[in-house]
């Protein structure tokens, strides 16, 4: 060990406490925002305005809403919404894969933007940079033959 | 109580609950990483990964938050990252890498739930994370 035991112990206690405080500082406002977005159906309204992106991403229009939820709030919410929407309005298999690609590169931007900005990262890079990368990768993937072939089939579940 | 006040209250309660749930996982890992940092394992890890981390413009110990993030989540990564002294450019590179590839066990399970192959998506995310990490590290290296 390159430090005495009491130094290590003190670092664990003080670091652990500041980690706990930081988390509360972030998660309480974050969850309030998420709750407001849900209760007032903000996501649906924004998704309506973003319909024009569907073409560039090679998706159907109804796929934009679950994608937006996943990207803004997190994969768990996104996956939940995707399953929900699919029940009402079947989403093609191709869109499932494309939403997956986009959503798993870039999700929970409010939450991760918050926490990594507090930790000292460049906030512009980690939010806008990630969105741009995810958008380009997804748009490119949509044009690959593998994805084109899946186009019209819908997922059964 | 009106709808707005109730919404805020529910959000605050969820925030505290989520923090409590996360802390149960984060704190033990944080303690373990502090111990590892002062143990002989750390110099060994640094030497081993120094060549690879160089491509990301990261110091050798940059591997510790990257591996932690891969298996756990963003919160643990940040807790672990705070035990070291990284520059803004390094933190941004680590952030971008971890934000693309994190919580792989948990999120692969979610991917499977919506009908994707968990293995394919894990591989896809690791490859994307490496590509993104290289790009951001390279830009950070040029600016810094």
């Amino acid at each position: 060990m390159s430090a005495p035991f009491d130094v290590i112990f003190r670092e664990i206690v003080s670091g652990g406490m500041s980690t706990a405080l930081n988390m509360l500082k972030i998660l309480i406002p974050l969850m309030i925002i998420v709750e407001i977005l849900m209760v007032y159906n903000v996501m649906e309204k924004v998704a309506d305005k973003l319909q024009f992106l569907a073409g560039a991403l090679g998706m159907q229009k109804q796929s934009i809403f679950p994608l937006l939820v996943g990207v803004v709030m997190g994969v768990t919410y996104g996956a939940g919404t995707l399953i929900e929407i699919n029940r009402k309005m079947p989403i093609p298999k191709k869109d499932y894969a494309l939403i997956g690609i986009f959503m798993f590169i870039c999700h929970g931007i409010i939450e991760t933007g918050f926490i990594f900005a507090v930790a000292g990262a460049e906030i512009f890079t980690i939010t806008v940079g990630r969105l741009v990368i995810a958008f380009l990768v997804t748009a490119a993937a949509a044009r690959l033959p593998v994805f084109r072939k899946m186009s019209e089939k819908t997922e059964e579940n | 109580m009106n709808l707005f006040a109730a919404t805020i209250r529910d959000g605050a309660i969820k925030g505290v609950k989520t923090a409590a749930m996360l802390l149960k996982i984060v704190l033990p890992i944080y303690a373990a990483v502090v111990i590892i940092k002062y143990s002989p394992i750390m110099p060994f890890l640094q030497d081993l990964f120094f060549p690879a981390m160089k491509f990301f413009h990261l110091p050798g110990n940059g591997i510790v938050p990257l591996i932690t993030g891969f298996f756990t989540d963003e919160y643990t990564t940040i807790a672990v990252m705070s035990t070291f002294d990284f520059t803004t450019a390094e933190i941004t590179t680590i952030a971008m890498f971890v934000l693309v590839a994190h919580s792989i066990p948990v999120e692969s399970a979610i991917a499977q739930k919506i009908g994707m192959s968990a293995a394919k998506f894990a591989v896809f995310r690791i490859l994307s994370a490496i590509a993104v990490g290289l790009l951001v590290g390279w830009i950070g290296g040029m600016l810094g």
Side-chain angles (χ1 to χ4, degrees):
Chain A
M1 288 289 161
S2 58
F5 180 73
D6 65 307
V7 173
I8 299 176
F9 184 72
R10 226 174 295 146
E11 186 168 334
I12 291 174
V13 173
S14 67
M17 269 174 8
S18 73
T19 301
L21 275 177
N22 273 333
M23 257 193 199
L24 287 170
K25 253 195 311 205
I26 292 158
L27 283 168
I28 294 175
L30 173 75
M31 286 301 170
I32 292 176
I33 293 171
V34 170
E35 202 68 14
I36 290 172
L37 293 180
M38 297 283 234
V39 170
Y40 294 98
N41 297 324
V42 178
M43 287 292 146
E44 268 147 341
K45 286 169 199 155
V46 177
D48 279 345
K49 297 228 163 70
L50 293 176
Q51 300 280 314
F52 67 94
L53 291 176
L57 291 170
M59 293 178 190
Q60 300 297 310
K61 288 200 162 125
Q62 74 265 34
S63 306
I64 294 292
F65 177 52
L67 176 63
L68 184 71
V69 173
V71 167
V72 173
M73 306 203 300
V75 266
T76 333
Y77 294 100
T81 316
L82 187 58
I83 292 166
E84 190 66 31
I85 298 277
N86 188 48
R87 232 179 256 140
K88 288 186 242 162
M89 214 192 288
I91 290 176
K93 231 179 160 153
K94 178 192 181 194
D95 288 24
Y96 258 80
L98 292 174
I99 292 172
I101 290 177
F102 199 120
M103 192 163 81
F104 282 101
I105 293 183
C106 176
H107 56 246
I109 50 172
I110 301 183
E111 178 181 353
T112 52
F114 262 35
I115 62 173
F116 276 96
V118 171
E122 237 329 296
I123 189 155
F124 184 79
T125 315
I126 59 170
T127 50
V128 179
R130 224 153 30 111
L131 278 173
V132 170
I133 292 170
F135 189 91
L136 294 178
V137 172
T138 312
R143 283 154 184 83
L144 291 178
V146 194
F147 287 97
R148 276 230 206 98
K149 255 183 266 161
M150 308 181 175
S151 56
E152 296 316 317
K153 275 182 279 171
T154 55
E155 182 81 30
E156 302 292 332
N157 58 2
Chain B
M1 203 182 330
N2 64 30
L3 179 63
F4 188 68
T7 308
I8 290 190
R9 185 205 54 201
D10 290 350
I13 294 171
K14 272 190 199 159
V16 175
K17 276 194 185 149
T18 315
M21 185 196 78
L22 284 170
L23 283 170
K24 270 185 242 161
I25 306 158
V26 171
L27 290 180
I29 294 175
Y30 181 83
V33 171
V34 173
I35 293 168
I36 289 171
K37 193 175 79 166
Y38 291 111
S39 76
I41 303 171
M42 200 56 229
F44 172 75
L45 276 180
Q46 279 173 356
D47 290 345
L48 190 64
F49 286 101
F50 182 72
M53 290 300 105
K54 220 172 46 189
F55 292 115
F56 298 101
H57 284 271
L58 290 176
N61 50 21
I63 192 67
V64 181
L66 296 188
I67 292 182
T68 315
F70 188 77
F71 288 105
T72 62
D73 58 27
E74 304 98 312
Y75 289 92
T76 323
T77 311
I78 286 182
V80 166
M81 209 161 63
S82 66
T83 68
F84 301 100
D85 281 319
F86 293 120
T87 65
T88 304
E90 287 161 359
I91 292 175
T92 307
T93 307
I94 294 170
M96 287 296 273
F97 189 103
V98 169
L99 285 171
V100 175
H102 59 244
S103 327
I104 297 297
V106 176
E107 289 186 1
S108 295
I110 299 176
Q112 211 156 25
K113 209 173 198 166
I114 58 174
M116 294 158 185
S117 147
K120 253 191 239 165
F121 266 83
V123 172
F124 166 71
R125 284 183 72 183
I126 297 162
L127 293 178
S128 323
I130 292 174
V132 167
L134 288 175
L135 178 73
V136 177
W138 177 67
I139 295 171
M142 278 200 315
L143 298 177

